[in-house]
mmCIF file with all atom_site columns, all heavy atoms in Angstrom:
data_model
loop_
_atom_site.group_PDB
_atom_site.id
_atom_site.type_symbol
_atom_site.label_atom_id
_atom_site.label_alt_id
_atom_site.label_comp_id
_atom_site.label_asym_id
_atom_site.label_entity_id
_atom_site.label_seq_id
_atom_site.pdbx_PDB_ins_code
_atom_site.Cartn_x
_atom_site.Cartn_y
_atom_site.Cartn_z
_atom_site.occupancy
_atom_site.B_iso_or_equiv
_atom_site.pdbx_formal_charge
_atom_site.auth_seq_id
_atom_site.auth_comp_id
_atom_site.auth_asym_id
_atom_site.auth_atom_id
_atom_site.pdbx_PDB_model_num
ATOM 1   N N   . LEU I 1 274 ? 28.439 34.629 -1.418  1.00 0.00 ? 280 LEU I N   1
ATOM 2   C CA  . LEU I 1 274 ? 27.570 35.707 -1.569  1.00 0.00 ? 280 LEU I CA  1
ATOM 3   C C   . LEU I 1 274 ? 26.050 35.254 -1.420  1.00 0.00 ? 280 LEU I C   1
ATOM 4   O O   . LEU I 1 274 ? 25.214 35.997 -0.939  1.00 0.00 ? 280 LEU I O   1
ATOM 5   C CB  . LEU I 1 274 ? 27.800 36.432 -2.937  1.00 0.00 ? 280 LEU I CB  1
ATOM 6   C CG  . LEU I 1 274 ? 29.231 37.086 -3.013  1.00 0.00 ? 280 LEU I CG  1
ATOM 7   C CD1 . LEU I 1 274 ? 29.390 37.756 -4.355  1.00 0.00 ? 280 LEU I CD1 1
ATOM 8   C CD2 . LEU I 1 274 ? 29.468 38.040 -1.902  1.00 0.00 ? 280 LEU I CD2 1
ATOM 9   N N   . LEU I 1 277 ? 25.297 34.911 2.059   1.00 0.00 ? 283 LEU I N   1
ATOM 10  C CA  . LEU I 1 277 ? 25.030 36.219 2.636   1.00 0.00 ? 283 LEU I CA  1
ATOM 11  C C   . LEU I 1 277 ? 23.556 36.624 2.367   1.00 0.00 ? 283 LEU I C   1
ATOM 12  O O   . LEU I 1 277 ? 22.972 37.225 3.250   1.00 0.00 ? 283 LEU I O   1
ATOM 13  C CB  . LEU I 1 277 ? 26.010 37.291 2.076   1.00 0.00 ? 283 LEU I CB  1
ATOM 14  C CG  . LEU I 1 277 ? 27.394 37.441 2.715   1.00 0.00 ? 283 LEU I CG  1
ATOM 15  C CD1 . LEU I 1 277 ? 28.264 38.431 2.002   1.00 0.00 ? 283 LEU I CD1 1
ATOM 16  C CD2 . LEU I 1 277 ? 27.228 37.767 4.204   1.00 0.00 ? 283 LEU I CD2 1
ATOM 17  N N   . MET I 1 278 ? 23.101 36.494 1.168   1.00 0.00 ? 284 MET I N   1
ATOM 18  C CA  . MET I 1 278 ? 21.710 36.795 0.876   1.00 0.00 ? 284 MET I CA  1
ATOM 19  C C   . MET I 1 278 ? 20.698 36.021 1.868   1.00 0.00 ? 284 MET I C   1
ATOM 20  O O   . MET I 1 278 ? 19.787 36.625 2.279   1.00 0.00 ? 284 MET I O   1
ATOM 21  C CB  . MET I 1 278 ? 21.406 36.534 -0.574  1.00 0.00 ? 284 MET I CB  1
ATOM 22  C CG  . MET I 1 278 ? 22.288 37.301 -1.619  1.00 0.00 ? 284 MET I CG  1
ATOM 23  S SD  . MET I 1 278 ? 21.797 36.849 -3.275  1.00 0.00 ? 284 MET I SD  1
ATOM 24  C CE  . MET I 1 278 ? 23.105 37.818 -4.151  1.00 0.00 ? 284 MET I CE  1
ATOM 25  N N   . PRO I 1 297 ? 32.946 39.939 3.959   1.00 0.00 ? 303 PRO I N   1
ATOM 26  C CA  . PRO I 1 297 ? 33.447 40.849 2.820   1.00 0.00 ? 303 PRO I CA  1
ATOM 27  C C   . PRO I 1 297 ? 34.861 41.363 3.023   1.00 0.00 ? 303 PRO I C   1
ATOM 28  O O   . PRO I 1 297 ? 35.590 41.538 2.076   1.00 0.00 ? 303 PRO I O   1
ATOM 29  C CB  . PRO I 1 297 ? 32.382 41.943 2.811   1.00 0.00 ? 303 PRO I CB  1
ATOM 30  C CG  . PRO I 1 297 ? 31.180 41.417 3.422   1.00 0.00 ? 303 PRO I CG  1
ATOM 31  C CD  . PRO I 1 297 ? 31.727 40.379 4.465   1.00 0.00 ? 303 PRO I CD  1
ATOM 32  N N   . LEU I 1 332 ? 34.300 41.133 -11.715 1.00 0.00 ? 338 LEU I N   1
ATOM 33  C CA  . LEU I 1 332 ? 33.886 42.499 -11.465 1.00 0.00 ? 338 LEU I CA  1
ATOM 34  C C   . LEU I 1 332 ? 32.558 42.628 -10.653 1.00 0.00 ? 338 LEU I C   1
ATOM 35  O O   . LEU I 1 332 ? 32.481 43.485 -9.702  1.00 0.00 ? 338 LEU I O   1
ATOM 36  C CB  . LEU I 1 332 ? 33.684 43.292 -12.785 1.00 0.00 ? 338 LEU I CB  1
ATOM 37  C CG  . LEU I 1 332 ? 34.941 43.448 -13.671 1.00 0.00 ? 338 LEU I CG  1
ATOM 38  C CD1 . LEU I 1 332 ? 34.468 44.065 -15.056 1.00 0.00 ? 338 LEU I CD1 1
ATOM 39  C CD2 . LEU I 1 332 ? 35.817 44.374 -12.936 1.00 0.00 ? 338 LEU I CD2 1
ATOM 40  N N   . TRP I 1 333 ? 31.640 41.780 -10.919 1.00 0.00 ? 339 TRP I N   1
ATOM 41  C CA  . TRP I 1 333 ? 30.502 41.714 -10.186 1.00 0.00 ? 339 TRP I CA  1
ATOM 42  C C   . TRP I 1 333 ? 30.693 41.388 -8.709  1.00 0.00 ? 339 TRP I C   1
ATOM 43  O O   . TRP I 1 333 ? 30.082 41.902 -7.735  1.00 0.00 ? 339 TRP I O   1
ATOM 44  C CB  . TRP I 1 333 ? 29.426 40.813 -10.779 1.00 0.00 ? 339 TRP I CB  1
ATOM 45  C CG  . TRP I 1 333 ? 28.182 40.828 -10.063 1.00 0.00 ? 339 TRP I CG  1
ATOM 46  C CD1 . TRP I 1 333 ? 27.147 41.780 -10.131 1.00 0.00 ? 339 TRP I CD1 1
ATOM 47  C CD2 . TRP I 1 333 ? 27.636 39.770 -9.290  1.00 0.00 ? 339 TRP I CD2 1
ATOM 48  N NE1 . TRP I 1 333 ? 26.095 41.341 -9.349  1.00 0.00 ? 339 TRP I NE1 1
ATOM 49  C CE2 . TRP I 1 333 ? 26.316 40.235 -8.774  1.00 0.00 ? 339 TRP I CE2 1
ATOM 50  C CE3 . TRP I 1 333 ? 28.071 38.570 -8.901  1.00 0.00 ? 339 TRP I CE3 1
ATOM 51  C CZ2 . TRP I 1 333 ? 25.541 39.399 -7.996  1.00 0.00 ? 339 TRP I CZ2 1
ATOM 52  C CZ3 . TRP I 1 333 ? 27.284 37.788 -8.028  1.00 0.00 ? 339 TRP I CZ3 1
ATOM 53  C CH2 . TRP I 1 333 ? 26.112 38.198 -7.565  1.00 0.00 ? 339 TRP I CH2 1
ATOM 54  N N   . LEU I 1 334 ? 31.588 40.352 -8.577  1.00 0.00 ? 340 LEU I N   1
ATOM 55  C CA  . LEU I 1 334 ? 31.964 40.009 -7.143  1.00 0.00 ? 340 LEU I CA  1
ATOM 56  C C   . LEU I 1 334 ? 32.578 41.121 -6.413  1.00 0.00 ? 340 LEU I C   1
ATOM 57  O O   . LEU I 1 334 ? 32.277 41.361 -5.269  1.00 0.00 ? 340 LEU I O   1
ATOM 58  C CB  . LEU I 1 334 ? 32.976 38.824 -7.272  1.00 0.00 ? 340 LEU I CB  1
ATOM 59  C CG  . LEU I 1 334 ? 33.580 38.320 -5.962  1.00 0.00 ? 340 LEU I CG  1
ATOM 60  C CD1 . LEU I 1 334 ? 32.546 37.831 -5.044  1.00 0.00 ? 340 LEU I CD1 1
ATOM 61  C CD2 . LEU I 1 334 ? 34.656 37.288 -6.214  1.00 0.00 ? 340 LEU I CD2 1
ATOM 62  N N   . GLY I 1 335 ? 33.429 41.949 -7.021  1.00 0.00 ? 341 GLY I N   1
ATOM 63  C CA  . GLY I 1 335 ? 33.939 43.102 -6.352  1.00 0.00 ? 341 GLY I CA  1
ATOM 64  C C   . GLY I 1 335 ? 32.887 44.137 -5.993  1.00 0.00 ? 341 GLY I C   1
ATOM 65  O O   . GLY I 1 335 ? 32.980 44.748 -4.950  1.00 0.00 ? 341 GLY I O   1
ATOM 66  N N   . LEU I 1 336 ? 31.942 44.299 -6.906  1.00 0.00 ? 342 LEU I N   1
ATOM 67  C CA  . LEU I 1 336 ? 30.786 45.218 -6.562  1.00 0.00 ? 342 LEU I CA  1
ATOM 68  C C   . LEU I 1 336 ? 30.051 44.743 -5.438  1.00 0.00 ? 342 LEU I C   1
ATOM 69  O O   . LEU I 1 336 ? 29.697 45.646 -4.576  1.00 0.00 ? 342 LEU I O   1
ATOM 70  C CB  . LEU I 1 336 ? 30.015 45.416 -7.894  1.00 0.00 ? 342 LEU I CB  1
ATOM 71  C CG  . LEU I 1 336 ? 28.684 46.188 -7.662  1.00 0.00 ? 342 LEU I CG  1
ATOM 72  C CD1 . LEU I 1 336 ? 29.085 47.637 -7.452  1.00 0.00 ? 342 LEU I CD1 1
ATOM 73  C CD2 . LEU I 1 336 ? 27.755 46.065 -8.893  1.00 0.00 ? 342 LEU I CD2 1
ATOM 74  N N   . VAL I 1 337 ? 29.700 43.510 -5.347  1.00 0.00 ? 343 VAL I N   1
ATOM 75  C CA  . VAL I 1 337 ? 28.973 42.927 -4.264  1.00 0.00 ? 343 VAL I CA  1
ATOM 76  C C   . VAL I 1 337 ? 29.702 43.153 -2.920  1.00 0.00 ? 343 VAL I C   1
ATOM 77  O O   . VAL I 1 337 ? 29.131 43.579 -1.906  1.00 0.00 ? 343 VAL I O   1
ATOM 78  C CB  . VAL I 1 337 ? 28.683 41.469 -4.518  1.00 0.00 ? 343 VAL I CB  1
ATOM 79  C CG1 . VAL I 1 337 ? 27.896 40.835 -3.284  1.00 0.00 ? 343 VAL I CG1 1
ATOM 80  C CG2 . VAL I 1 337 ? 27.743 41.318 -5.777  1.00 0.00 ? 343 VAL I CG2 1
ATOM 81  N N   . ILE I 1 338 ? 30.990 42.788 -2.925  1.00 0.00 ? 344 ILE I N   1
ATOM 82  C CA  . ILE I 1 338 ? 31.778 42.943 -1.712  1.00 0.00 ? 344 ILE I CA  1
ATOM 83  C C   . ILE I 1 338 ? 31.791 44.470 -1.206  1.00 0.00 ? 344 ILE I C   1
ATOM 84  O O   . ILE I 1 338 ? 31.632 44.705 -0.068  1.00 0.00 ? 344 ILE I O   1
ATOM 85  C CB  . ILE I 1 338 ? 33.159 42.421 -1.963  1.00 0.00 ? 344 ILE I CB  1
ATOM 86  C CG1 . ILE I 1 338 ? 33.159 40.847 -2.074  1.00 0.00 ? 344 ILE I CG1 1
ATOM 87  C CG2 . ILE I 1 338 ? 34.105 42.820 -0.764  1.00 0.00 ? 344 ILE I CG2 1
ATOM 88  C CD1 . ILE I 1 338 ? 34.477 40.216 -2.436  1.00 0.00 ? 344 ILE I CD1 1
ATOM 89  N N   . LEU I 1 339 ? 32.004 45.362 -2.181  1.00 0.00 ? 345 LEU I N   1
ATOM 90  C CA  . LEU I 1 339 ? 32.059 46.753 -1.781  1.00 0.00 ? 345 LEU I CA  1
ATOM 91  C C   . LEU I 1 339 ? 30.700 47.241 -1.299  1.00 0.00 ? 345 LEU I C   1
ATOM 92  O O   . LEU I 1 339 ? 30.598 48.001 -0.297  1.00 0.00 ? 345 LEU I O   1
ATOM 93  C CB  . LEU I 1 339 ? 32.485 47.608 -2.974  1.00 0.00 ? 345 LEU I CB  1
ATOM 94  C CG  . LEU I 1 339 ? 33.929 47.382 -3.378  1.00 0.00 ? 345 LEU I CG  1
ATOM 95  C CD1 . LEU I 1 339 ? 34.172 48.242 -4.620  1.00 0.00 ? 345 LEU I CD1 1
ATOM 96  C CD2 . LEU I 1 339 ? 34.929 47.701 -2.293  1.00 0.00 ? 345 LEU I CD2 1
ATOM 97  N N   . VAL I 1 340 ? 29.656 46.768 -1.853  1.00 0.00 ? 346 VAL I N   1
ATOM 98  C CA  . VAL I 1 340 ? 28.307 47.197 -1.401  1.00 0.00 ? 346 VAL I CA  1
ATOM 99  C C   . VAL I 1 340 ? 28.003 46.657 -0.011  1.00 0.00 ? 346 VAL I C   1
ATOM 100 O O   . VAL I 1 340 ? 27.505 47.357 0.859   1.00 0.00 ? 346 VAL I O   1
ATOM 101 C CB  . VAL I 1 340 ? 27.160 46.597 -2.415  1.00 0.00 ? 346 VAL I CB  1
ATOM 102 C CG1 . VAL I 1 340 ? 25.848 46.739 -1.734  1.00 0.00 ? 346 VAL I CG1 1
ATOM 103 C CG2 . VAL I 1 340 ? 27.238 47.395 -3.677  1.00 0.00 ? 346 VAL I CG2 1
ATOM 104 N N   . HIS I 1 341 ? 28.470 45.437 0.280   1.00 0.00 ? 347 HIS I N   1
ATOM 105 C CA  . HIS I 1 341 ? 28.240 44.868 1.672   1.00 0.00 ? 347 HIS I CA  1
ATOM 106 C C   . HIS I 1 341 ? 29.050 45.527 2.647   1.00 0.00 ? 347 HIS I C   1
ATOM 107 O O   . HIS I 1 341 ? 28.723 45.586 3.899   1.00 0.00 ? 347 HIS I O   1
ATOM 108 C CB  . HIS I 1 341 ? 28.613 43.308 1.683   1.00 0.00 ? 347 HIS I CB  1
ATOM 109 C CG  . HIS I 1 341 ? 27.353 42.469 1.182   1.00 0.00 ? 347 HIS I CG  1
ATOM 110 N ND1 . HIS I 1 341 ? 27.139 42.218 -0.150  1.00 0.00 ? 347 HIS I ND1 1
ATOM 111 C CD2 . HIS I 1 341 ? 26.337 41.908 1.909   1.00 0.00 ? 347 HIS I CD2 1
ATOM 112 C CE1 . HIS I 1 341 ? 26.061 41.425 -0.189  1.00 0.00 ? 347 HIS I CE1 1
ATOM 113 N NE2 . HIS I 1 341 ? 25.560 41.290 0.951   1.00 0.00 ? 347 HIS I NE2 1
ATOM 114 N N   . ILE I 1 342 ? 30.222 46.093 2.276   1.00 0.00 ? 348 ILE I N   1
ATOM 115 C CA  . ILE I 1 342 ? 31.072 46.731 3.235   1.00 0.00 ? 348 ILE I CA  1
ATOM 116 C C   . ILE I 1 342 ? 30.650 48.145 3.466   1.00 0.00 ? 348 ILE I C   1
ATOM 117 O O   . ILE I 1 342 ? 30.502 48.557 4.679   1.00 0.00 ? 348 ILE I O   1
ATOM 118 C CB  . ILE I 1 342 ? 32.536 46.766 2.682   1.00 0.00 ? 348 ILE I CB  1
ATOM 119 C CG1 . ILE I 1 342 ? 33.141 45.452 2.681   1.00 0.00 ? 348 ILE I CG1 1
ATOM 120 C CG2 . ILE I 1 342 ? 33.404 47.755 3.536   1.00 0.00 ? 348 ILE I CG2 1
ATOM 121 C CD1 . ILE I 1 342 ? 34.534 45.411 2.049   1.00 0.00 ? 348 ILE I CD1 1
ATOM 122 N N   . LEU I 1 352 ? 21.740 44.052 -6.906  1.00 0.00 ? 358 LEU I N   1
ATOM 123 C CA  . LEU I 1 352 ? 22.940 43.362 -7.333  1.00 0.00 ? 358 LEU I CA  1
ATOM 124 C C   . LEU I 1 352 ? 22.640 42.366 -8.412  1.00 0.00 ? 358 LEU I C   1
ATOM 125 O O   . LEU I 1 352 ? 23.447 42.247 -9.342  1.00 0.00 ? 358 LEU I O   1
ATOM 126 C CB  . LEU I 1 352 ? 23.629 42.827 -6.192  1.00 0.00 ? 358 LEU I CB  1
ATOM 127 C CG  . LEU I 1 352 ? 24.223 43.695 -5.145  1.00 0.00 ? 358 LEU I CG  1
ATOM 128 C CD1 . LEU I 1 352 ? 24.731 42.953 -3.869  1.00 0.00 ? 358 LEU I CD1 1
ATOM 129 C CD2 . LEU I 1 352 ? 25.347 44.615 -5.657  1.00 0.00 ? 358 LEU I CD2 1
ATOM 130 N N   . LEU I 1 353 ? 21.534 41.577 -8.288  1.00 0.00 ? 359 LEU I N   1
ATOM 131 C CA  . LEU I 1 353 ? 21.230 40.622 -9.304  1.00 0.00 ? 359 LEU I CA  1
ATOM 132 C C   . LEU I 1 353 ? 20.760 41.361 -10.609 1.00 0.00 ? 359 LEU I C   1
ATOM 133 O O   . LEU I 1 353 ? 20.968 40.836 -11.702 1.00 0.00 ? 359 LEU I O   1
ATOM 134 C CB  . LEU I 1 353 ? 20.204 39.659 -8.778  1.00 0.00 ? 359 LEU I CB  1
ATOM 135 C CG  . LEU I 1 353 ? 20.615 38.703 -7.684  1.00 0.00 ? 359 LEU I CG  1
ATOM 136 C CD1 . LEU I 1 353 ? 19.503 37.899 -7.116  1.00 0.00 ? 359 LEU I CD1 1
ATOM 137 C CD2 . LEU I 1 353 ? 21.673 37.728 -8.268  1.00 0.00 ? 359 LEU I CD2 1
#
Side-chain angles (χ1 to χ4, degrees):
L280 297 181
L283 275 178
M284 294 178 187
L338 292 175
W339 182 74
L340 174 63
L342 175 64
V343 174
I344 290 176
L345 293 177
V346 167
H347 275 88
I348 292 176
L358 293 172
L359 288 175

